[in-house]
DNA sequence: TTGTAAGCGTTATCAC
DNA sequence: GTGATAACGCTTACAA
């Protein structure tokens, strides 16, 4: 697109490119007259600075790369929304890449970001420590979200999955449930692993039935439907995320079971929909997590690098009608 | 970040930067020996090309800017997912910007993209023709999604809202409903306007009750709850999008009304959740819409500009249990 | 086949 | 206060 460059503006304003740059960037040592001439010329030409050239010169892009796993649904949109708000507030742009496949594709996506962004936020619940250090340059400015706890090379913002799971189990027992179905997430996902481990250690074999899904609504539905058809008896379902809990609710409703009287249901994440479906769940404050990651990253960028820090976010149990009839 | 540059590679491989460039980009006229030396040096140094510099030189970024309104929830994530898949497939990156506020902020976001992207996809159901031509440089490569039909300056991919609404009304009448509540969307939103107009023209005053919301679940809930409390009688609710339909369902359930026996409910969009909630709705194929926009844009980029085209996507009625008890 | 050097659109360091 | 000019990291004629 043959857009006007700084040289065109300089020519039109009859000054040097240096003056145009100074004037447009509001620097000192520019006479009012020059400033006015430049402003007029820029306006007339519809001049818009070329961000690419600018960042090459400044060694600074004002953009942040975001690498996400292939997440569908509300979790994804919420976390991006949180990041977007914070990025916007602090004058950054977001460069998005989803890594659908394995760590090879993750690496490719990462490389494509070189020279386009100042830093990265990487959410990779399916990559282990080795894969991360293979893909992420050691010294690179990056914040991880939900990476394994043993990753120390970069800042890492994590959710306290154990605490969340314990809170749910405690709640279910408090309302008198003694036979709980746990619907786990995909085994290669770190959060799923941690939640499953927490569930295993906070419940005893005789009070639990294990099932598994892949974090999708349909898998939650299938898991619970399967148990019902198999004639299993239970009075609670705890799904490793809200989407599967929604599926579980459908399966229960289809089977004519009342909730929470016959079966109480709890999820994990507190996606926006959970409130509307009156689902008891663990509030992760997803958008806030994204905003926090971005905020930490930008602060790091602007104040010079600090030591990598690990942040553990304690989630909060939100009790709704899917486990307790009132409120 | 003191990363290695092409010059470092050249020095290490004992060749010129030109040879490095040629070798790494797989061009002809490079001896096997040089190619090997360069590859080794690049590997040793962990060299990753600087995309910013590359695109300045090539006048080509391999990135596409995406401007979206501040949409929450599944519609947003679906459309981005569709774009991401297509972008990925064709080797492009996505630069994301939400325009929360008005057309001034939209313009700022657009300008920030200059020199970072090769083209834009702009979804601006709240901007009219004037605002669009003010913000978008005439000649700029861009595809619009759901811009007003009278915009001819750029390609425009639209949903046939009229057809969708007519299909729903026809269906509701076919199943014997004669008093329909229509919950409209925000008045500044183009889709909301078109859907409302279509509803108005396809129904008569005695068979409709008009209510309004803002496309959020809560607003759909509030609208229907309000009507029930006001003692209104109706046997169908048609919400201008699925989120509000979900809210409507909650309100009905809270009031002890059966669905679809007492009140049939229909939405618009067919977000992924609609299937799981068994909501009759108008299938927009959101992800496909995003993919289509991107595909058109990239083809345009790679084959040289073509005339702007308007594409009208005919949505499809999907009948589920919220209006028909079986299937 | 290889290297030299100009250029992409900026900013920043100098002189003046 | 202003203007040349050398970077920034890359690609690509054009020479050799």
């Amino acid at each position: 697109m043959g857009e006007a460059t700084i040289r065109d503006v300089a020519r039109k304003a009859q000054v040097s490119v240096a003056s145009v740059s100074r004037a447009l960037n509001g620097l000192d040592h520019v006479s009012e007259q020059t400033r006015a001439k430049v402003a007029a010329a820029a306006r007339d030409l519809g001049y818009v600075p070329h961000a690419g050239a600018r960042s090459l010169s400044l060694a600074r892009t004002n953009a942040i790369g975001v690498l996400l796993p292939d997440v569908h649904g509300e979790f994804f949109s919420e976390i991006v929304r949180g990041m977007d708000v914070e990025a916007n507030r602090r004058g950054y742009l977001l460069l998005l890449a989803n890594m659908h496949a394995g760590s090879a594709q993750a690496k490719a996506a990462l490389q494509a970001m070189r020279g386009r962004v100042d830093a990265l936020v990487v959410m990779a619940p399916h990559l282990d420590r080795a894969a991360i250090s293979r893909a992420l340059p050691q010294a690179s400015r990056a914040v991880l979200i939900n990476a394994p706890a043993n990753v120390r090379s970069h800042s890492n913002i994590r959710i306290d999955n154990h605490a969340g799971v314990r809170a749910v189990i405690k709640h279910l027992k408090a309302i008198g449930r003694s036979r709980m179905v746990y619907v786990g997430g995909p085994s290669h996902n770190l959060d799923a692993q941690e939640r499953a481990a927490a569930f295993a250690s906070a419940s005893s074999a005789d009070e639990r039935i294990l099932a598994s899904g892949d974090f999708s609504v349909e898998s939650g539905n299938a898991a619970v439907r399967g148990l019902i058809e198999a004639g299993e008896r239970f009075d609670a379902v705890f799904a490793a995320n809200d989407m599967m809990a929604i599926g579980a609710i459908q399966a229960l409703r289809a089977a004519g079971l009342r909730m929470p009287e016959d079966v109480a249901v709890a999820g994990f994440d507190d996606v926006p929909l959970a409130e509307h479906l009156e689902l008891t769940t663990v509030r992760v404050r997803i958008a806030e997590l994204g905003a926090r990651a971005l905020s930490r990253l930008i602060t790091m960028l602007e104040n010079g690098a600090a030591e990598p820090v690990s942040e553990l976010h304690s989630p909060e149990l939100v009790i709704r009608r899917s486990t307790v009839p009132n409120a």
Side-chain angles (χ1 to χ4, degrees), chain A:
Chain A
M1 335 184 195
E3 311 259 6
T5 77
I6 197 174
R7 254 184 282 270
D8 299 325
V9 178
R11 196 172 312 125
K12 175 139 193 168
Q14 315 240 51
V15 296
S16 70
V17 292
S19 290
V20 175
S21 178
R22 281 189 289 254
L24 257 27
N25 291 311
L27 299 189
D28 287 347
H29 305 298
V30 180
S31 72
E32 267 321 308
Q33 204 203 17
T34 303
R35 208 179 286 282
K37 277 196 299 185
V38 169
R43 185 169 17 76
D44 290 355
L45 269 55
Y47 170 71
V48 177
H50 189 289
R54 192 152 202 271
S55 54
L56 182 58
S57 182
L58 289 172
R60 186 161 194 306
T61 63
N62 273 287
I64 292 196
V66 178
L67 253 83
L68 295 173
D70 194 25
V71 185
H72 294 194
E74 286 209 288
F75 192 95
F76 165 80
S77 64
E78 271 297 285
I79 200 155
V80 173
R81 188 172 66 81
M83 293 186 188
D84 179 73
V85 168
E86 185 66 12
N88 221 56
R89 204 169 70 73
R90 304 183 61 165
Y92 282 75
L93 242 39
L94 252 33
L95 203 65
L96 209 64
N98 279 30
M99 357 175 228
H100 309 88
S103 109
Q105 221 198 356
K107 188 160 185 173
L110 270 168
Q111 303 206 154
M113 298 239 170
R114 156 99 212 267
R116 295 185 200 266
V117 301
D118 297 328
L120 294 167
V121 19
V122 179
M123 177 158 164
H126 62 292
L127 293 185
D128 63 13
R129 185 187 182 172
I132 287 174
S133 74
R134 213 177 313 126
L136 275 177
Q138 289 307 323
S140 67
R141 304 200 185 303
V143 164
L144 308 176
I145 297 184
N146 280 15
N150 63 8
V151 173
R152 296 246 162 281
S153 50
H154 302 269
S155 286
N156 189 358
I157 298 188
R158 303 189 310 118
I159 299 167
D160 192 341
N161 286 308
H162 279 84
V165 168
R166 280 196 307 268
V168 170
I169 293 181
K170 187 174 162 204
H171 169 60
L172 290 176
K173 288 187 179 172
I175 59 172
R177 307 299 160 137
S178 58
R179 194 137 175 84
M180 302 175 285
V181 169
Y182 179 75
V183 186
S187 59
H188 54 80
N189 181 292
L190 178 67
D191 289 304
Q193 289 162 18
E194 291 189 355
R195 292 171 195 178
F199 184 85
S201 78
S203 64
S204 61
D206 59 316
E207 62 190 5
R208 69 180 173 230
I209 302 174
L210 297 178
S212 65
D214 60 7
F215 276 166
S216 71
V217 175
E218 178 47 31
S219 71
N221 186 326
V224 171
R225 190 177 52 224
L227 291 173
I228 292 173
E229 285 170 359
E232 291 280 1
R233 298 257 151 230
F234 50 88
D235 52 16
V237 173
F238 178 15
N241 79 343
D242 288 344
M243 289 296 133
M244 294 197 298
I246 292 172
I249 292 174
Q250 291 162 20
L252 295 175
R253 191 175 296 152
L257 292 167
R258 288 166 315 156
M259 179 185 82
E261 292 80 1
D262 299 327
V263 179
V265 177
F268 205 114
D269 285 347
D270 196 34
V271 296
L273 217 68
E275 179 183 355
H276 299 114
L277 299 179
E278 308 190 297
L279 176 66
T280 290
T281 186
V282 179
R283 173 172 297 162
V284 167
R285 298 185 188 285
I286 309 168
E288 201 175 285
L289 207 68
R292 195 92 185 83
L294 224 76
S295 167
R296 179 172 282 294
L297 202 50
I298 297 176
T299 303
M300 201 160 122
L301 281 175
E302 298 184 344
N303 301 351
E307 285 302 291
V309 216
S310 231
E311 224 176 79
L312 191 64
H313 282 241
S314 297
E316 167 199 357
L317 181 67
V318 182
I319 298 173
R320 301 207 182 93
R321 300 248 293 257
S322 71
T323 58
V324 173
N326 42 315

